[in-house]
């Protein structure tokens, strides 16, 4: 059987942008820091094609 290569470029972009936002939020003591974490983790998992 053939395995199709999935396009994960969009998820990598989401991961890097949300990681940058998370680092910025840590540096500026953003109140709603935990709201960024689901985007970081989901972006990484989908980009690595784990899920």
């Amino acid at each position: 059987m053939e395995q199709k290569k999935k396009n994960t470029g969009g998820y990598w972009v989401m991961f890097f942008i949300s990681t940058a936002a998370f680092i910025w939020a840590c540096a500026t003591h953003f109140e709603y820091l935990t709201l960024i974490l689901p985007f970081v983790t989901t972006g990484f998992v989908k980009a690595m094609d784990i899920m």
Side-chain angles (χ1 to χ4, degrees), residues 1-47:
M1 278 197 258
E2 286 185 32
Q3 291 184 357
K4 289 186 177 180
K5 182 174 166 83
K6 295 182 181 178
N7 187 7
T8 58
Y11 292 117
W12 280 114
V13 171
M14 182 175 92
F15 169 69
F16 287 124
I17 290 174
S18 59
T19 301
F22 182 74
I23 292 170
W24 171 82
C26 286
T28 60
H29 303 289
F30 187 60
E31 292 181 23
Y32 302 106
L33 175 71
T34 55
L35 294 177
I36 301 170
L37 286 176
F39 294 99
V40 174
T41 54
T42 303
F44 181 72
V45 167
K46 294 292 264 182

